[in-house]
Amino acid sequence: MELIRNHKALMTSVSRVRILMIGPVGAGKSSFFNSINSIFTGHVTSKAMAGSTNTSLTTQFRTYPVRDGREGKSLPFVLCDTMGLEEQSGAGLDIEDISSILQGHIPDRYKFNPFAPFQHDEQKASRSASLQEKIHCVVYVIDATKVSLMSNKLEEKLAAIRRKVNSLGITQIVLMTKVDEACPLVEKDLQSLYISSYIKTKVHEVSSRLGVPVSCVLPVKNYSQELELNLNCDVLLLTALQQMLRFADDYLDDIRPVEGNPL
């Protein structure tokens, strides 16, 4: 927690790292924000709407800063939540909208329209966005219990998004959620996560299907039904967040001028 509190982005023009959460409906994007918010608040919170439905509960683009305690200062990152991805076209988050988010054009609370992507001119966003407004790390949120059930259409959608993110040079990471639901051993004891052969096979499967290195797949358990915080749960969540901040630094390091002062 102390390392995250004191994190400073590599560029002085970036006061808070912006992390974009992308993933299928119900994978746990909003729950991850709620979980991180809970840890720093000191008790379980539910600020972002989260739950299990067939269609996305998140219909707006939301940028969630996290405070260090209820009255504390804002921490040096913002978690950006999106509408869930859906298999069929004309439903869920549009790839064109993702492109606009990555480049910093979409404002907080913009309501997604699956039939019509965001139009720059409508929102007077034709200007070039500042580095602070752009996304510095992309996180794909995947439900460990549904890895094998992922359809070809959804896999193709994720591959198209990855190509777009790659073209902008933004670092990417995968958050594998619901590890306790995927493995009875882990449900019984979260500390057995790294010795569970089943979770290991799921990590490798996610790595293979999304085309990311195994080291970029981070298994976590979000808070969903608990009333109290759990240290083992916190450690996994904070480790994942710390890795996201490091990856964002890799992106900023890559784009900053070779010589001279930071932007």
Side-chain angles (χ1 to χ4, degrees), residues 77-93:
F77 62 91
V78 174
L79 293 172
C80 303
D81 198 8
T82 54
M83 191 176 188
L85 293 175
E86 295 188 39
E87 289 178 24
Q88 59 271 41
S89 53
L93 187 62

Side-chain angles (χ1 to χ4, degrees), residues 8-18 129-134 136 252 255-257 261-263:
K8 283 186 172 56
L10 275 177
M11 288 190 179
T12 52
S13 62
V14 176
S15 58
R16 284 186 291 183
V17 165
R18 284 166 72 90
S130 69
L131 185 58
Q132 175 60 76
E133 294 168 305
K134 293 180 180 179
H136 311 120
L252 294 171
I255 63 166
R256 70 175 170 177
N261 298 321
L263 293 173

Side-chain angles (χ1 to χ4, degrees), residues 93-101 103 106 117-118 120 164:
L93 187 62
D94 189 280
I95 291 178
E96 286 303 310
D97 281 336
I98 293 173
S99 182
S100 297
I101 293 168
Q103 294 172 77
I106 292 191
F118 174 83
H120 288 194
K164 183 69 205 174

Side-chain angles (χ1 to χ4, degrees), residues 88-152:
Q88 59 271 41
S89 53
L93 187 62
D94 189 280
I95 291 178
E96 286 303 310
D97 281 336
I98 293 173
S99 182
S100 297
I101 293 168
L102 295 171
Q103 294 172 77
H105 292 308
I106 292 191
D108 184 32
R109 295 185 188 272
Y110 166 77
K111 190 168 174 58
F112 294 110
N113 179 353
F115 300 102
F118 174 83
Q119 295 297 315
H120 288 194
D121 297 334
E122 271 179 26
Q123 304 289 337
K124 298 177 183 170
S126 52
R127 66 179 177 81
S128 179
S130 69
L131 185 58
Q132 175 60 76
E133 294 168 305
K134 293 180 180 179
I135 296 299
H136 311 120
C137 176
V138 169
V139 179
Y140 301 99
V141 184
I142 304 294
D143 179 342
T145 67
K146 294 183 178 171
V147 178
S148 302
L149 305 173
M150 193 188 295
S151 69
N152 289 337

Side-chain angles (χ1 to χ4, degrees), residues 16-250:
R16 284 186 291 183
V17 165
R18 284 166 72 90
I19 299 164
L20 178 64
M21 320 289 292
I22 296 174
V25 171
K29 298 178 293 299
S30 302
S31 295
F32 178 71
F33 160 72
N34 285 335
S35 300
I36 294 296
N37 195 51
S38 298
I39 295 169
F40 283 98
T41 303
H43 59 83
V44 175
T45 65
S46 188
K47 193 172 171 183
M49 199 184 294
S52 301
T53 62
N54 292 329
T55 55
S56 185
L57 283 172
T58 305
T59 57
Q60 295 178 315
F61 174 61
R62 290 306 319 270
T63 58
Y64 291 114
V66 177
R67 291 190 177 278
D68 190 8
R70 291 192 68 174
E71 311 266 318
K73 62 176 182 133
S74 290
L75 291 161
F77 62 91
V78 174
L79 293 172
C80 303
D81 198 8
T82 54
M83 191 176 188
L85 293 175
E86 295 188 39
E87 289 178 24
Q88 59 271 41
S89 53
L93 187 62
D94 189 280
I95 291 178
E96 286 303 310
D97 281 336
I98 293 173
S99 182
S100 297
I101 293 168
L102 295 171
Q103 294 172 77
H105 292 308
I106 292 191
D108 184 32
R109 295 185 188 272
Y110 166 77
K111 190 168 174 58
F112 294 110
N113 179 353
F115 300 102
F118 174 83
Q119 295 297 315
H120 288 194
D121 297 334
E122 271 179 26
Q123 304 289 337
K124 298 177 183 170
S126 52
R127 66 179 177 81
S128 179
S130 69
L131 185 58
Q132 175 60 76
E133 294 168 305
K134 293 180 180 179
I135 296 299
H136 311 120
C137 176
V138 169
V139 179
Y140 301 99
V141 184
I142 304 294
D143 179 342
T145 67
K146 294 183 178 171
V147 178
S148 302
L149 305 173
M150 193 188 295
S151 69
N152 289 337
K153 281 187 179 177
L154 194 55
E155 207 170 319
E156 284 164 17
K157 229 175 195 180
L158 284 163
I161 294 165
R162 274 190 40 73
R163 283 194 295 273
K164 183 69 205 174
V165 177
N166 281 337
S167 73
L168 295 169
I170 301 168
T171 49
Q172 301 164 75
I173 217 164
V174 179
L175 201 63
M176 193 174 80
T177 59
K178 306 186 185 181
V179 289
D180 56 319
E181 292 177 35
C183 175
L185 185 71
V186 176
E187 185 177 30
K188 194 175 171 187
D189 178 13
L190 204 52
Q191 281 188 310
S192 66
L193 177 77
Y194 290 108
I195 57 166
S196 164
S197 56
Y198 184 74
I199 294 298
K200 186 179 179 181
T201 62
K202 288 288 140 193
V203 167
H204 281 268
E205 193 178 345
V206 169
S207 163
S208 169
R209 297 194 77 164
L210 267 70
V212 297
V214 169
S215 60
C216 293
V217 181
L218 308 175
V220 297
K221 171 187 161 27
N222 288 328
Y223 286 107
S224 55
Q225 56 196 23
E226 297 77 11
L227 298 176
E228 299 295 333
L229 296 176
N230 173 286
L231 182 62
N232 291 330
C233 204
D234 290 356
V235 167
L236 287 176
L237 291 160
L238 291 170
T239 302
L241 178 59
Q242 188 179 28
Q243 200 65 357
M244 291 168 199
L245 295 175
R246 287 172 177 162
F247 271 49
D249 269 349
D250 288 344

